[in-house]
Amino acid sequence: MGVLKVAGVSYLLLAAILLVCAQNGNNQSSEDDPRFDARVSELLAKNMLQLSQEIGTTILQDSDRPTEVFSPLSIYTALSILLMGANGQTFQELMGLLKINSDSYLSQNTWKVHEELSLMIDDLNGTIPHPGHRRRYQALWRNQNALHENRNQNQESLQQISVANGIFFQNGYSIRDDFRDAMQSAYQAHLQRLDFANKPDLSTKYINSWVNEKTQGKIKKILTNELPQSTKAIIASALYFKALWERTFYEAGTKPREFYPDGINRPPIMVDMMAIGGSYPFYDSKEYDCRIIALPYRKHLTTMYIIIPNKSTRHRLRQFQATLTADKIQEMISKMEWKTAIILFPKLHITNRIDLKMVLKRMGLRSLFSYDQSDLSLISTGVETPLSQNHFPGTLNNVDDRQFLFPRFDDVESRNATASTRNATHEAAKNNTNDAAKRERRSAVTYKATSSDTNAQREPLRLKDLVISKRITKSYPYIKLRSRLRRDIPTDPSLNLKRLDLLRTRLSSERYPNPGLFADELIHQIDLTVNEVGTEGGAATITTLNRSGPDILFRAETPFLFLIRHEDTKIPIFYGTVFEPTNF
């Protein structure tokens, strides 16, 4: 979740959540989607994973915590929203951080990044991806899963992944129409006016309640301190994920076992280790000196990949991660095959709050955190208008004192009309309810012969001039505005995104005032739970080993790296390193 403010103190926050359980999803149309580009989709997924690697490596340079886990999806989405509103140096730094400037097409058509990412998030939010998006390459092991799939599964016991985005900004502080329209087109963002200046306590309460609601109560308080009165805008991205294992761990198999943070030959710690046996995708990577195994969730929609370097220790895992890349991970996954295995894996309950400001600055994103250098001029002009007196209360569960809130901008006409059109339409609507105004409009009809030549001698009007030439002008602005609104509704679903790119091009060639938006902090928070069944009270399906015994014994008893990935889109949902498991 992100917070941006003008002058004074500002924050950038990201919220992400994992709770393992199950829900059903939505069916989608079988029609092909002309917006979908398989190449761009694969590239964005790869870029997201590469960013995960670099963030993880940078964090571990100074961290000595037992776990470092974060959500690449949540971070990448929030940074993409910032990219949408950035210009100048800030835009170029974000392009480099998100690995977009390495592709010539995307470098010239940034709108496509947001369009494709929104399609990927739609597929991730739904249980069944759009049929027209199935041209993405799938891992070989997933195509071999017919004999290994649990036959007792049904649509009601799959998974739930939801990504919610929101912008909360100071009432009276201008947000560009082009940015707002593009945000809603790509990310279906919740837009809400708050009064940070006069009621920072209630504004803070609203943001925390929004995050709490979107994360199903797992992150109750993302803002630990009251927002400063100088806050101008908050950009938020919240993630909620829950899924059941394809095969549950043996409940009776969980017991305290040794875990060796510093290697097999050093003293261990005792942790609760789960046990399971069956067929699982596995690859012994001789070329990278590690082993990788997959623990699929129901229907193989998402998967937890566990990677352990040989002779793993804290130091060895840090070295290994520094050499790992997205291409190497994808290569190992592509070589996985089903093997019978006995798996020992620790129970996990990880709550993590990471300050990513210094991490991203080390990775090249510097101007965003500087008042003098940050350029988010596509979000706002920086102009403040008087506070509206005719506001309406906002709505959110469990929030009181909402009289300071202002309505969301989520109707179709508001998204696609210009500011002047909306203002004029509003005035016309007010006049339409006033009898005196109606009579005034009826009496305001004038007749004149129009001409492009102002010096031309005008002839007397004739009947055919009025009927055929239509030289009638009326003070009915709302008639033209209504038809203009219909014309402004975009037939191209990406029109709003393209308009924002054009605005960036225009601003880059002109002298324009910088609104002064900058981020002072970037905080990422997660809550991750991994247990035997994936959620409380889930049904268990017991699997048995072949009589010939397992092909492999996979013991996650030394430091390891894990990745939870959505298989259809290859989006990395969670990524992290575990040096010492954190039990319940």
Side-chain angles (χ1 to χ4, degrees), residues 88 184 230 247 249 273 346 375 386 432 487 498 507-508 540 580:
Q184 291 182 317
S230 59
R247 294 184 178 90
F249 286 80
M273 298 281 281
D375 188 345
N432 193 43
R487 291 196 303 270
K498 294 175 181 177
L507 291 180
S508 298
E580 295 182 22

Side-chain angles (χ1 to χ4, degrees), residues 146-158 244-248 298-299 539-543:
L147 297 178
H148 305 277
E149 199 170 282
N150 189 334
R151 297 182 183 276
N152 294 326
Q153 296 166 359
N154 56 67
Q155 292 295 97
E156 295 183 355
S157 60
L158 296 179
L244 284 169
W245 297 119
E246 182 188 42
R247 294 184 178 90
T248 58
R298 292 283 176 94
K299 293 289 186 181
T541 302
I542 302 300
T543 61

Side-chain angles (χ1 to χ4, degrees), residues 3-189:
V3 179
L4 303 173
K5 294 179 248 176
V6 99
V9 183
S10 55
Y11 300 85
L12 181 58
L13 300 151
L14 294 158
I17 176 63
L18 168 78
L19 173 65
V20 191
C21 41
Q23 284 291 345
N24 53 350
N26 301 319
N27 294 324
Q28 297 191 9
S29 170
S30 61
E31 297 179 359
D32 190 26
D33 190 341
R35 299 171 298 168
F36 174 71
D37 187 320
R39 186 193 72 85
V40 175
S41 178
E42 293 282 342
L43 180 61
L44 290 180
K46 175 184 173 181
N47 291 348
M48 206 177 297
L49 182 55
Q50 185 60 39
L51 180 65
S52 309
Q53 280 296 118
E54 295 179 5
I55 289 177
T57 301
T58 307
I59 288 176
L60 291 182
Q61 290 178 3
D62 300 322
S63 173
D64 57 357
R65 294 193 295 188
T67 59
E68 288 292 356
V69 181
F70 54 91
S71 171
L73 170 61
S74 183
I75 295 174
Y76 201 93
T77 301
L79 292 177
S80 296
I81 292 173
L82 289 172
L83 175 70
M84 182 182 287
N87 202 8
Q89 182 181 351
T90 305
F91 176 76
Q92 294 301 327
E93 290 177 357
L94 284 166
M95 289 280 283
L97 182 68
L98 299 176
K99 316 300 178 188
I100 297 170
N101 57 3
S102 61
D103 185 83
S104 58
Y105 172 72
L106 293 182
S107 297
Q108 301 299 321
N109 299 275
T110 316
W111 61 270
K112 186 59 182 174
V113 173
H114 308 294
E115 179 184 73
E116 199 65 42
L117 183 58
S118 71
L119 297 178
M120 296 169 73
I121 291 175
D122 287 345
D123 284 346
L124 185 140
N125 283 341
T127 299
I128 302 175
H130 193 295
H133 301 172
R134 290 190 177 274
R135 298 192 297 275
R136 301 184 181 103
Y137 169 79
Q138 297 300 318
L140 179 63
W141 71 261
R142 199 166 178 239
N143 297 327
Q144 300 171 339
N145 67 4
L147 297 178
H148 305 277
E149 199 170 282
N150 189 334
R151 297 182 183 276
N152 294 326
Q153 296 166 359
N154 56 67
Q155 292 295 97
E156 295 183 355
S157 60
L158 296 179
Q159 68 180 20
Q160 180 183 350
I161 307 175
S162 62
V163 180
N165 299 290
I167 303 182
F168 310 88
F169 52 93
Q170 171 65 35
N171 182 59
Y173 187 75
S174 65
I175 299 296
R176 288 188 186 273
D177 294 329
D178 288 327
F179 177 78
R180 184 190 64 201
D181 296 343
M183 270 289 296
Q184 291 182 317
S185 295
Y187 301 109
Q188 293 77 51

Side-chain angles (χ1 to χ4, degrees), residues 398-409:
N398 304 320
V399 176
D400 298 321
D401 300 316
R402 294 191 288 264
Q403 66 272 14
F404 67 96
L405 302 176
F406 290 77
R408 289 176 59 182
F409 298 117

